[in-house]
Amino acid sequence: DVQAGSLRITGSGATSVLNGTITATDAAGIVLDDSVRVVDGLSLVVTHADADIVIGRDGEVPPFYLASDDAAGPATLDLTLAGGDAVFHSVIDAGRGSSPTTGRLTGLGISGAGDVRFAEAIEIAGDVTIDATGEVRFEQAVTLLDGGSLTIRNAGKVRFDQGLIKLRADSGAAGALDIQAGTILVGDGSVASDLVVDFDPGAGASGGAVILDATLGADGRLADLVIED
């Protein structure tokens, strides 16, 4: 485990390998400017009210990735903030690593955040749980596999820029979409867009629940809510 005033890792994208708990106590927070392999479990904690957690590099092409280390098995990531923002510039998926290969995270938890922003696509084999008071924004599609659920609590606003949430399961029930927020918005606000919840369960599986405790399309730009099983 590591405890410091702040932590910044700047890499080439060839990956930082991390596990355990990293705690930062001052306003500079935690910046992981590299691709990241998570071994077993990684907990990132900032205790200053102005501290952010930033993963990846803004504008990097192709984007850095955030994934698990396949040699160590499934891995989860938890972020704990004291009111600052959580920003993901990295794509969250199976990664591009080799020797050993990388795989999908099996869970992502975020608590105590102000705003949360995902600039790239998310593909996780498990649950995503977010507790934030500001805006939670997904700029690309969200895919949760193996019965994973997307749960968001206490947000003032949730925005799905692409309007697409995929919840998958090969057996049992697909996960749930469960949002408690002030408003849910779709697209960039310039044109009317659909919000599509696509379960597409495998043989022997069933779709999950959709619970939306929020005002849908408060900006008048929600065309249709589409739930596909």
Side-chain angles (χ1 to χ4, degrees), residues 107-130:
L108 172 63
I110 302 171
S111 62
D115 293 339
V116 178
R117 176 190 173 211
F118 297 92
E120 301 293 338
I122 301 172
E123 190 173 283
I124 289 178
D127 296 334
V128 174
T129 303
I130 300 171

Side-chain angles (χ1 to χ4, degrees), residues 211-224:
I211 305 168
L212 304 177
D213 183 5
T215 300
L216 300 180
D219 60 355
R221 298 299 185 183
L222 175 63
D224 293 301

Side-chain angles (χ1 to χ4, degrees), residues 30-79:
I30 296 173
V31 178
L32 304 180
D33 183 4
D34 196 5
S35 290
V36 175
R37 291 173 179 255
V38 178
V39 177
D40 296 327
L42 175 63
S43 180
L44 304 177
V45 180
V46 292
T47 59
H48 195 287
D50 295 326
D52 300 332
I53 299 176
V54 180
I55 299 177
R57 181 179 297 170
D58 190 13
E60 186 73 10
V61 180
F64 290 159
Y65 64 80
L66 171 60
S68 69
D69 189 295
D70 263 2
T76 60
L77 174 63
D78 289 291
L79 278 59

Side-chain angles (χ1 to χ4, degrees), residues 177-189:
L177 175 64
D178 187 352
I179 299 177
Q180 179 190 76
T183 62
I184 296 175
L185 305 175
V186 183
D188 61 6

